[in-house]
Amino acid sequence: MLVLSFTIAVAGKGGTGKTTISSLIVGHLLRKGKTPVFAVDADANVNLNEQLGVKVDSTIGGMREELKKKIGANEVPAGMSKDMYMEYLLQDTLVESSGFDLLVMGRPEGPGCYCAANNMLKRYIDILAKNYPYVVIDNEAGMEHLSRRTTQKIDLLLLVSEPNPIGIMTAARIKDLAKEMEVSVKETGLIINRVNGQAPESLIEEAKNYGLEVLGTIPADDMLIDYVIKHTPLVELPEDSPVVRALDTILGKFGI
């Protein structure tokens, strides 16, 4: 059954904790029973699956290459149209888990990309997303995957920054980039990650000067670091974890 999806996109420069925030959002939605969740790892540095505790055997990048070869050599399986074959490959790439499904984009398009394959791919990802009440996209800083979506509709864009002026400036640039790419974003906000104590007022003012609303801060948390070191999925963090409570508060502002 098709549903009206609420899409949350997470973006920021490398190393700010985008993937951590994305996995915490998925965990929040699972606890709240807002399932199934469609998680998309659109960061070239693929590791959302580890933080969600699932194994990935194939990516959209690999699927695209296979499709290019098959169509180019006219080797689509007998009795299947190109569209049917695309749908089969896409379903095979989707990782299904308890309460959420994960799609990993993998490496970006290289030279000589096959436009027909990419157009079909965009269409099917959008169709697939309509089967989920919530979509969570872990983006690369360049936002390329968002610009390639056919609907290009984002309900909530969460920009992640570390507690320093450079991170704030980069977040503002990503916000401007989304506008330049004509990605439809309903609401945008900034999350300052890995904060010891209170975020300096100067950083809050800096964000305001860039037109960014600070939605909240995520504290530095030894428990989270321990989970990462031990390769324990972050979706298993307890509800009383400081980072979990902080993110719950932020998402609660949007009724999520």
Side-chain angles (χ1 to χ4, degrees):
M1 180 180 68
L2 297 182
V3 296
L4 186 60
S5 298
F6 187 95
T7 300
I8 304 170
V10 182
K13 78 180 185 69
T16 56
K18 300 187 306 295
T19 301
T20 294
I21 300 298
S22 297
S23 63
L24 291 174
I25 293 171
V26 173
H28 171 92
L29 294 171
L30 293 178
R31 290 194 310 277
K32 297 294 183 180
K34 299 178 182 292
T35 58
V37 179
F38 182 35
V40 180
D41 189 345
D43 195 327
N45 182 24
V46 176
N47 60 6
L48 180 60
N49 65 293
E50 183 171 331
Q51 296 194 10
L52 294 178
V54 294
K55 182 181 179 182
V56 170
D57 295 317
S58 58
T59 68
I60 289 296
M63 186 190 91
R64 183 189 297 114
E65 292 304 310
E66 179 177 351
L67 190 67
K68 284 165 56 178
K69 292 177 183 177
K70 293 287 186 180
I71 293 178
N74 198 26
E75 293 179 352
V76 173
M80 297 182 72
S81 66
K82 294 177 183 178
D83 279 7
M84 289 172 61
Y85 187 50
M86 163 67 83
E87 188 171 3
Y88 165 77
L89 290 176
L90 186 58
Q91 289 294 335
D92 191 52
T93 303
L94 190 68
V95 179
E96 298 179 349
S97 188
S98 178
F100 71 91
D101 296 336
L102 172 66
L103 192 67
V104 177
M105 300 304 293
R107 65 181 181 277
E109 298 165 16
C113 97
Y114 192 76
C115 293
N118 291 319
N119 289 335
M120 284 190 287
L121 181 58
K122 288 192 295 186
R123 184 168 73 250
Y124 277 115
I125 289 178
D126 284 338
I127 291 172
L128 188 62
K130 292 176 182 177
N131 293 300
Y132 303 83
Y134 284 89
V135 179
V136 179
I137 306 174
D138 179 15
N139 282 279
E140 77 281 61
M143 306 279 282
E144 282 87 355
H145 285 302
L146 277 188
S147 68
R148 291 179 186 133
R149 296 185 69 211
T150 53
T151 58
Q152 297 186 28
K153 181 187 76 69
I154 302 299
D155 294 287
L156 177 59
L157 174 60
L158 296 176
L159 302 170
V160 183
S161 169
E162 290 187 307
N164 59 62
I166 294 177
I168 303 294
M169 179 179 66
T170 303
R173 287 176 176 171
I174 294 173
K175 178 185 176 183
D176 292 340
L177 182 60
K179 289 182 179 179
E180 292 173 13
M181 289 181 167
E182 298 183 344
V183 177
S184 174
V185 180
K186 187 174 180 181
E187 295 186 88
T188 303
L190 176 69
I191 294 176
I192 304 179
N193 194 25
R194 302 178 186 134
V195 175
N196 286 306
Q198 296 291 324
E201 192 59 37
S202 60
L203 277 184
I204 306 296
E205 286 301 315
E206 183 126 11
K208 289 180 180 178
N209 291 337
Y210 281 114
L212 293 171
E213 178 187 1
V214 179
L215 299 175
T217 63
I218 304 294
D221 185 5
D222 290 339
M223 182 186 295
L224 185 147
I225 294 173
D226 186 58
Y227 269 51
V228 172
I229 291 174
K230 294 180 179 177
H231 300 282
T232 304
L234 297 188
V235 289
E236 296 179 9
L237 278 167
E239 290 189 48
D240 61 355
S241 160
V243 295
V244 170
R245 291 203 308 266
L247 191 70
D248 285 353
T249 300
I250 291 171
L251 295 179
K253 296 179 179 180
F254 301 93
I256 302 172

